[in-house]
Amino acid sequence: MPARIYQRPKNAMQSGKARIADWLLEFAPAEAKRPDPLMGWAGSGDTQQQVVLKFASEADALAYAEKYGIEVHVTPSPVHRLKIQSYADNFR
């Protein structure tokens, strides 16, 4: 079952850097979601979709995937660029 390894992006409402250093291994869905006939909620019988594993580094996540024979796709983390400007720049 394929999986992807990525770093969680920073939330737009978040000012701190908590939980963005972790690397996550998340399994791809094996089957499509379908609506429940009674309630209309979306769901599937795939329980691997609920599993998200956290690792301290990308190397740890890759080692885990290799140990258990999981096919992975690594999504590189985006480059963080700061836009430095002063308050006076608002009035130019």
Side-chain angles (χ1 to χ4, degrees), residues 3-92:
R4 78 178 178 131
I5 296 174
Y6 66 99
Q7 255 185 324
R8 180 179 297 148
K10 186 174 168 182
N11 188 341
M13 301 299 293
Q14 187 178 11
S15 62
K17 294 184 180 183
R19 299 176 21 162
I20 64 169
D22 294 337
W23 285 85
L24 304 176
L25 186 140
E26 187 176 77
F27 291 96
E31 62 182 58
K33 291 188 178 188
R34 57 189 182 281
D36 182 56
L38 180 62
M39 299 297 289
W41 297 339
S44 70
D46 181 24
T47 57
Q48 286 285 50
Q49 219 173 343
Q50 302 170 9
V51 177
V52 178
L53 302 173
K54 291 185 205 173
F55 297 94
S57 68
E58 179 184 6
D60 292 343
L62 285 171
Y64 178 86
E66 185 177 327
K67 179 179 178 183
Y68 291 103
I70 301 170
E71 176 189 338
V72 294
H73 175 264
V74 179
T75 305
S77 58
V79 177
H80 300 289
R81 295 189 180 134
L82 295 176
K83 182 180 176 185
I84 307 295
Q85 73 182 59
S86 67
Y87 181 70
D89 290 341
N90 293 331
F91 304 103
R92 287 189 182 177

